[in-house]
């Protein structure tokens, strides 16, 4: 697969990689949304003082989903995943550094379910690109299969997208937009809202997304994530009697 160094070529690659049609594996994960919906913590309008639920809940649901997406963007992706994606993009030709970054993501992600999700989505993305013949994908996949490195999603994104020739800022945009799309898609499949409301959430979140991307990513020393409600929901997911998503 040839690199596309032009801005237009990089933009086209970013559109392809961020498209929900691309089989990257993220559709199997709700990142805690499913448990929150089951527990009536999301998707249910707040009760009035009388204990009754107000009518016209579509707007409430959209606002709740938007708040969840914003929390994931601000306090997980932008403050943690983005830093490792950026570092991996810069070290795409340095296998030992990539493996070190992978080990850091593993060590700093406290919830096992989040570690598992990041590994499985990253490995799925890696497998697709190995099958497509993307440079660097097969050698890194060999390291993952040998259990020498976990293959976390932001590290794989940085490696693969650099090898494709995507510009740095387009990699950040594709990753952030892909996360937002995956989250609202999960909300739609859970019956929290419809497709039009999902597009409303994606539109409303754009100013924040552009604001975050306009600032430089944090350094690896500063990288941290704090989304306690979502993390607790992810950890409790395996105890749910009925499950649509892997987490």
């Amino acid at each position: 697969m040839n690199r596309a160094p032009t801005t237009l070529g990089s933009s086209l690659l970013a559109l392809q990689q961020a498209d929900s049609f691309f089989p990257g594996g993220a559709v199997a994960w709700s990142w805690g949304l499913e448990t929150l919906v089951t527990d009536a913590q999301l998707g249910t309008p707040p009760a009035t003082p009388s204990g009754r639920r107000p009518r016209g809940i579509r707007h409430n649901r959209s606002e709740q989903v938007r708040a969840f997406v914003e929390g994931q963007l601000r306090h997980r992706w932008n403050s943690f995943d983005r830093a490792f994606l950026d570092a991996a993009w810069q070290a795409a030709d340095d296998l030992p550094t990539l493996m070190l970054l992978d080990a850091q993501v593993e060590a700093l992600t406290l919830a096992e379910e989040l570690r598992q999700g990041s590994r499985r989505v990253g490995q799925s993305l890696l497998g697709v690109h190995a099958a497509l013949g993307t440079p660097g994908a097969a050698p890194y996949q060999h390291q993952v299969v040998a259990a020498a490195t976990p293959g976390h999603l932001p590290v794989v994104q940085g490696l693969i997208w650099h090898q494709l020739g995507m510009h740095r800022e387009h990699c950040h945009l594709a990753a952030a937009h892909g996360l937002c799309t995956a989250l609202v898609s999960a909300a739609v499949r859970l019956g929290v809202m419809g497709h039009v409301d999902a597009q409303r959430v994606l539109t409303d979140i754009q100013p924040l997304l552009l604001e975050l991307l306009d600032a430089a990513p944090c350094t690896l020393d500063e990288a941290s994530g704090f989304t306690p409600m979502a993390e607790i929901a992810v950890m409790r997911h395996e105890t749910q009697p009925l499950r649509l998503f892997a987490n």
Side-chain angles (χ1 to χ4, degrees):
M1 191 173 293
N2 296 324
R3 292 192 175 191
T6 66
T7 299
L8 188 59
S10 176
S11 299
L12 183 58
L13 285 166
L15 287 173
Q16 180 189 15
Q17 298 301 307
D19 194 333
S20 59
F21 180 71
F22 192 89
V27 295
W29 306 86
S30 76
W31 307 107
L33 268 175
E34 185 168 21
T35 302
L36 293 173
V37 171
T38 301
D39 291 347
Q41 297 297 314
L42 187 145
T44 303
T48 63
S50 66
R52 296 180 179 179
R53 301 291 181 185
R55 295 183 178 181
I57 63 175
R58 292 172 63 86
H59 176 72
N60 290 331
R61 287 179 168 182
S62 296
E63 286 299 308
Q64 290 174 335
V65 173
R66 185 195 182 284
F68 184 86
V69 174
E70 179 175 342
Q72 292 296 309
L73 271 179
R74 282 187 184 275
H75 305 300
R76 175 67 191 188
W77 181 82
N78 188 61
S79 63
F80 187 81
D81 293 65
R82 185 186 180 195
F84 284 95
L85 185 160
D86 191 69
W89 185 87
Q90 296 184 63
D93 296 317
D94 186 344
L95 181 60
T97 297
L98 290 171
M99 294 173 66
L100 178 60
L101 293 170
D102 229 348
Q104 288 179 283
V105 175
E106 180 80 8
L108 293 172
T109 305
L110 300 183
E112 166 58 26
E113 291 77 9
L114 287 181
R115 293 197 299 272
Q116 183 184 64
S118 179
R119 289 193 300 260
R120 288 180 60 178
V121 178
Q123 291 170 19
S124 178
L125 179 64
L126 189 61
V128 172
H129 279 282
L132 290 173
T134 301
Y140 204 73
Q141 187 182 47
H142 293 158
Q143 297 296 325
V144 172
V145 171
T149 196
H152 280 288
L153 178 61
V155 176
V156 172
Q157 287 174 330
L159 161 64
I160 295 301
W161 293 347
H162 181 278
Q163 297 295 356
L164 285 175
M166 285 172 58
H167 295 183
R168 180 185 180 194
E169 62 273 18
H170 290 161
C171 295
H172 295 191
L173 178 60
H177 178 70
L179 172 64
C180 295
T181 301
L183 291 174
V184 298
S185 175
V188 170
R189 282 179 286 158
L190 288 167
V192 175
M193 61 185 184
H195 290 280
V196 172
D197 283 333
Q199 292 303 316
R200 184 176 291 113
V201 170
L202 290 176
T203 299
D204 290 346
I205 209 74
Q206 286 179 6
L208 170 63
L209 184 53
L210 293 173
E211 175 190 330
L212 295 176
L213 292 174
D214 190 51
C218 64
T219 66
L220 293 179
D221 289 339
E222 298 170 331
S224 64
F226 186 71
T227 53
M229 185 172 73
E231 292 186 29
I232 292 171
V234 167
M235 289 187 282
R236 293 188 57 250
H237 185 262
E238 65 179 357
T239 67
Q240 302 297 318
L242 297 175
R243 295 184 293 173
L244 176 63
F245 294 88
N247 82 2

